[in-house]
Amino acid sequence: LEGGVHRVVFDLSGLGFISSGGIGFLIQTAKRLRAHGGEAVLAGPPANFGWVIETLGIDRLFRIFPDTETGLAFFREAAPAPRNPPA
């Protein structure tokens, strides 16, 4: 955020395991981005991560795309991201 990034695609395609700390990081990052008018999305989560997504309700917090390119395309098609975070 300090560098002006307001949109993030988390590429999970190589994910074999994620700890509760990792999940917490994803959620906190998404919340910080939203507070500044941005958004984080998940891309390419492995099939074995599906139960985590559903059980923890992550699918209600993030848009989920099958791959990184689709996630990036979502942001390309959206309105421009804010340039400066609100004061």
Side-chain angles (χ1 to χ4, degrees):
L1 285 170
E2 292 79 21
V5 173
H6 291 87
R7 295 177 174 166
V8 176
V9 177
F10 287 110
D11 179 1
L12 305 181
S13 61
L15 186 68
F17 171 81
I18 189 166
S19 68
S20 59
I23 293 169
F25 171 80
L26 294 175
I27 292 169
Q28 288 303 316
T29 300
K31 287 180 179 181
R32 286 184 64 210
L33 288 166
R34 281 191 189 143
H36 291 85
E39 184 174 3
V41 301
L42 305 180
N48 62 351
F49 189 60
W51 72 271
V52 173
I53 290 172
E54 292 176 18
T55 302
L56 298 180
I58 292 172
D59 54 342
R60 293 188 308 263
L61 299 172
F62 292 92
R63 294 176 197 260
I64 301 172
F65 297 96
D67 53 57
T68 302
E69 187 53 43
T70 308
L72 291 170
F74 166 74
F75 285 136
R76 281 188 211 109
E77 294 168 5
R83 293 201 179 264
N84 297 313

